């Protein structure tokens, strides 16, 4: 089909964070190309910065899809995420710049086919940093530095981390760059449900005890919970599956990003918000690339009527 949508508008595509879920961005880009929507501005955060940077550099959606689907991600992971634990972070980022160089080449942002910017976070001040000039590889490298996973990345005496920490879907940046129509892709799970009320249950103890009334009664009671070797005495507990350390770090980071995302979307909503169905996709599920990309395509096609109606305004 040759829709020629939005031909009279300056269109921006904003691609958000999401790790493996962010591969859905590729499916959205495929449909945009099919519909011949003229994308002039690309803005990204975290995974969206990497895919958006490749797209702004001139790779088309089919080329990015081929890389995502045919790459041996297990082999790449063994290089990017070595087993040794770093003192300053889990991974020091060795090889990440080389990975990005192989993907997008040695390009300056000012020389890209499309206007591009990506978001990072100053780890000391918490400031939102817009990277819109200089090395494309270094900008992406800063934006994808997920907390607890990568060490901060130094640019111009600033230590930068993942842009999703402060602006997971930077629609406001696209507006600032002159876009009058913004298509944004949220690849993370929406967390817009109300707080749930939950009883804390009861603790299993032999007797019902009041609060301690003195330091001596507190210490006597506390030490009784431990044996002579300082080990906690066994107490009946209901078994529950607990997350690994890596799972905890990922969940903490993504939950914080999603909460911030809800607030940022209220402040600066896009014209079209794409939410691919990637509910069951985990942080490192890059081996499910075809399935995730397909979810992005389906979500974009579901917005066809909304884009058609916009084009007639």
């Amino acid at each position: 089909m040759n829709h020629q949508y939005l031909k009279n508008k300056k269109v921006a595509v904003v691609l958000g964070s999401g790790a493996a879920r962010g591969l859905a961005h590729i499916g959205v880009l495929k449909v945009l190309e099919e519909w011949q929507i003229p994308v002039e501005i690309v803005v990204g955060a975290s995974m969206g910065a990497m895919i958006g940077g490749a797209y702004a550099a001139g790779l088309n959606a089919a080329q990015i899809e081929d890389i995502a689907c045919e790459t041996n991600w297990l082999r790449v992971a063994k290089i990017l995420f070595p087993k040794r634990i770093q003192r300053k972070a889990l991974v020091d980022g060795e090889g990440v710049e080389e990975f990005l160089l192989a993907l997008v080449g040695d390009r300056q942002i000012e020389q890209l086919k499309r206007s591009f910017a990506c978001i990072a976070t100053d780890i000391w001040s918490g400031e939102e940093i817009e990277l819109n000039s200089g090395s494309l590889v270094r900008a992406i490298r800063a934006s994808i530095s997920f907390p607890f996973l990568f060490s901060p990345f130094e640019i111009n005496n600033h230590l930068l981390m993942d842009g999703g920490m402060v602006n997971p879907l930077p629609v406001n940046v696209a507006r600032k760059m002159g876009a009058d129509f913004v298509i944004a892709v949220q690849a993370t799970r929406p967390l817009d449900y109300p707080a749930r009320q939950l009883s804390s249950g009861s603790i299993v103890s032999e007797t019902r005890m009041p609060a301690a009334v003195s330091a001596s009664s507190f210490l006597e009671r506390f030490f009784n919970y431990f044996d002579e070797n300082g080990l906690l005495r066994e107490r009946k507990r209901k078994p529950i599956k607990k997350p690994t350390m890596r799972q905890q770090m990922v969940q903490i980071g993504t939950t914080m990003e999603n909460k911030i995302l809800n607030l940022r979307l209220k402040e600066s909503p896009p014209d079209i918000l794409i939410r691919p169905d990637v509910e069951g996709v985990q942080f490192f599920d890059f081996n499910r690339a075809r399935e995730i990309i397909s979810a992005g395509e389906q979500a974009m096609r579901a917005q066809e009527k909304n884009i058609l109606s916009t084009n007639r305004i």
Side-chain angles (χ1 to χ4, degrees):
M1 290 185 291
N2 186 355
H3 292 298
Q4 296 273 330
Y5 291 143
L6 304 171
K7 57 186 176 181
N8 297 319
K9 296 182 181 293
K10 193 168 187 177
V11 178
V13 171
V14 179
L15 307 177
S17 55
R21 297 185 184 101
L23 294 175
H25 298 324
I26 302 170
V28 172
L29 294 176
K30 285 178 65 178
V31 177
L32 290 174
E33 288 183 351
E34 178 188 319
W35 291 350
Q36 297 188 25
I37 292 179
V39 176
E40 296 183 49
I41 298 169
V42 181
V43 181
S46 197
M47 187 62 178
M50 186 163 71
I51 293 175
Y55 194 65
L59 277 71
N60 60 41
Q63 291 170 325
I64 302 173
E65 179 182 30
D66 179 67
I67 294 169
C69 295
E70 300 302 327
T71 293
N72 185 332
W73 290 109
L74 180 60
R75 184 180 176 189
V76 170
K78 287 180 178 179
I79 296 173
L80 298 186
F81 306 107
K83 291 183 179 180
R84 66 183 184 277
I85 302 297
Q86 306 296 323
R87 287 189 175 184
K88 297 180 181 178
L90 289 180
V91 177
D92 64 4
E94 285 183 28
V96 177
E97 285 184 70
E98 287 70 19
F99 173 88
L100 294 172
L101 273 169
L103 177 66
V104 301
D106 184 9
R107 310 289 297 280
Q108 295 294 108
I109 293 175
E110 300 93 322
Q111 300 169 347
L112 298 181
K113 183 177 179 180
R114 298 177 173 90
S115 298
F116 175 77
C118 64
I119 304 303
T121 305
D122 187 302
I123 192 64
W124 289 120
S125 68
E127 291 176 280
E128 177 179 333
I129 305 296
E130 297 174 19
L131 297 166
N132 55 17
S133 63
S135 167
L136 176 62
V137 164
R138 287 173 57 80
I140 297 172
R141 170 66 180 86
S143 189
I144 65 174
S145 296
F146 189 82
F148 313 120
L149 183 62
F150 289 110
S151 299
F153 186 68
E154 188 273 328
I155 291 182
N156 293 334
N157 295 319
H158 290 267
L159 284 175
L160 303 182
M161 293 289 289
D162 193 304
M165 293 170 61
V166 289
N167 200 350
L169 196 61
V171 174
N172 62 313
V173 176
R175 300 286 189 199
K176 189 187 302 184
M177 293 171 68
D180 52 31
F181 192 88
V182 177
I183 299 170
V185 188
Q186 178 183 347
T188 53
R189 183 177 62 183
L191 292 179
D192 50 6
Y193 39 75
R196 179 189 300 183
Q197 294 184 354
L198 187 68
S199 168
S200 62
S202 60
I203 193 169
V204 179
S205 60
E206 296 181 359
T207 59
R208 297 286 180 182
M209 296 183 296
V213 295
S214 66
S216 60
S217 65
F218 156 70
L219 290 172
E220 180 182 3
R221 184 186 298 173
F222 175 68
F223 289 138
N224 279 337
Y225 291 129
F226 299 85
D227 63 21
E228 60 276 8
N229 297 315
L231 299 176
L232 187 64
R233 298 183 190 278
E234 187 175 349
R235 180 150 41 99
K236 293 181 180 179
R237 300 176 188 271
K238 292 183 178 180
I240 185 171
K241 183 180 179 181
K242 295 183 178 181
T244 65
M245 180 62 72
R246 186 178 75 174
Q247 288 172 328
Q248 289 184 58
M249 292 188 296
V250 168
Q251 285 300 111
I252 291 168
T254 53
T255 298
M256 292 170 60
E257 284 191 7
N258 287 346
K259 289 295 186 180
I260 294 169
L261 172 58
N262 289 338
L263 296 175
R264 299 304 296 254
L265 282 175
K266 290 177 182 178
E267 293 174 0
S268 185
D271 297 283
I272 298 289
L273 178 61
I274 313 294
R275 283 177 166 171
D277 183 7
V278 289
E279 179 72 21
V281 178
Q282 301 303 312
F283 192 87
F284 291 105
D285 281 349
F286 290 95
N287 60 315
R288 299 170 62 182
R290 295 190 190 280
E291 171 192 347
I292 301 168
I293 292 169
S294 177
E297 287 188 63
Q298 293 175 36
M300 185 65 210
R301 294 189 192 284
Q303 295 289 334
E304 183 173 7
K305 289 183 179 180
N306 292 333
I307 293 178
L308 261 177
S309 63
T310 301
N311 200 43
R312 290 168 181 157
I313 295 176

